[in-house]
Amino acid sequence: MEKDSHLKIVYLESVDSTQTYLKELITKKKVDSPYAVVANKQINGLGSRNNVWEGVNGNLFLSFSISMDNLAKDLKIESASIYFAYILKEVLSDLGSSVYLKWPNDFYIKDKKIGGMITNIVSNTLVCGVGLNLVDAPNGFSILDIKISREELLETYLKKVQTCVSWKQVFSKYEIEFYRSRNFFTHDKEEKISLGEAKLLSDGSIAHNGKRIYSTR
C-alpha cells in the first residue's frame, strides 16, 4: 500500500457481517480503497469454511480493503490471509500476548481459538475480515490473554498494514513458528489433513502426500 494512501474507518453499531457489508460497498462502487469497517456488534459474521462467527458485543469485528495494485509485490494472493493474520499476531505479541497463528488463518491461545481472518477478492480489491475475541467468547472458544482497547489495537494494526512489509519478511518469522500448527488439522475441500504431516512451502502453501495446498480463505 502506498504510504500516502488515506485509510478511512467507518464505525457501525450493528451489521450482519462487516465482510459482506464492505464487499457490497465495493461492488456498488460506493467507496475507494483503502477503507475499513468496524462494528460494535455482528449478527451473521463469516468464519472459516462458511461457518458463522458469532458476534459478542465488545469484541473486534473488522473488515478492510486494499487495492490489489498496492499489495506487497512478492505476496501470492492465495496466502493473503496468512500475511495479514500474521501481521496482527505480531502486533498482539508486541503487546504481550502469547497468541499464535494456526495455518492458515486462525488465532489461538494455547489450544483454544480466539479469532480468525478471511480474505476475498472483489473488483481488483482484496477484502480482509477479522474477528477477534477481546472480551468474551462463545462456548468452545477463548479470549485474548491481554487487555487492550479495540481502538488502540485498530490504530496499531492498520498503521502496520499500511507499511506494506514484504511477504518474505513475514514468512521468515511465520516459518519458525509453524511447528505450533502441527497438532492440528486443516481441510482441503472435504479432505481432513494433518498439519503434523505437512510441509510449509515458501509461498505459504503446504505440501501433503505430493499435493500442494493453498489456503482457500
Side-chain angles (χ1 to χ4, degrees):
M1 184 181 296
E2 297 174 3
K3 291 184 178 180
D4 61 352
S5 297
H6 177 67
L7 191 153
K8 182 177 181 180
I9 305 177
V10 172
Y11 291 87
L12 305 174
E13 180 57 37
S14 179
V15 70
D16 282 356
S17 158
T18 60
Q19 180 87 172
T20 302
Y21 182 85
L22 182 51
K23 285 165 63 179
E24 185 175 347
L25 289 179
I26 294 169
T27 299
K28 294 181 177 179
K29 299 182 179 180
K30 291 185 175 181
V31 298
D32 295 318
S33 297
Y35 196 90
V37 175
V38 182
N40 291 330
K41 186 176 181 181
Q42 184 171 255
I43 59 177
N44 193 29
L46 302 178
S48 301
R49 304 182 70 223
N50 295 319
N51 292 320
V52 173
W53 183 255
E54 294 186 41
V56 180
N57 196 22
N59 291 337
L60 176 66
F61 310 112
L62 162 71
S63 287
F64 60 93
S65 64
I66 300 174
S67 168
M68 298 280 281
D69 296 332
N70 288 333
L71 295 174
K73 300 306 180 187
D74 62 340
L75 173 63
K76 192 170 182 63
I77 197 62
E78 289 88 345
S79 294
S81 60
I82 299 173
Y83 175 86
F84 287 105
Y86 193 80
I87 290 174
L88 180 53
K89 179 267 170 193
E90 274 202 308
V91 168
L92 293 168
S93 294
D94 289 345
L95 293 167
S97 174
S98 61
V99 65
Y100 64 94
L101 185 64
K102 186 201 105 175
W103 192 93
N105 70 333
D106 294 327
F107 300 105
Y108 270 73
I109 298 288
K110 296 182 180 177
D111 63 344
K112 296 287 186 180
K113 184 176 177 178
I114 67 164
M117 167 87 66
I118 59 173
T119 55
N120 286 280
I121 299 173
V122 182
S123 302
N124 198 41
T125 302
L126 183 72
V127 181
C128 305
V130 184
L132 196 66
N133 296 333
L134 299 181
V135 298
D136 202 356
N139 289 335
F141 296 86
S142 190
I143 64 173
L144 187 65
D145 57 347
I146 59 173
K147 300 295 183 183
I148 183 172
S149 72
R150 182 186 66 175
E151 288 68 29
E152 180 185 355
L153 181 56
L154 280 169
E155 180 181 0
T156 307
Y157 176 54
L158 293 176
K159 184 181 293 184
K160 192 162 186 177
V161 163
Q162 292 180 87
T163 64
C164 198
V165 62
S166 71
W167 163 255
K168 183 178 180 180
Q169 287 177 276
V170 170
F171 180 78
S172 66
K173 299 172 186 177
Y174 177 60
E175 183 179 27
I176 296 171
E177 301 180 18
F178 180 72
Y179 74 92
R180 305 194 71 168
S181 293
R182 295 199 176 280
N183 293 328
F184 295 92
F185 289 84
T186 191
H187 291 83
D188 179 35
K189 297 179 181 176
E190 297 305 315
E191 182 183 0
K192 190 176 182 180
I193 295 171
S194 168
L195 290 172
E197 300 171 357
K199 179 183 179 182
L200 180 67
L201 303 178
S202 62
D203 62 355
S205 63
I206 56 173
H208 182 264
N209 287 342
K211 186 178 181 181
R212 193 172 202 144
I213 302 166
Y214 287 95
S215 166
T216 56
R217 305 171 190 173

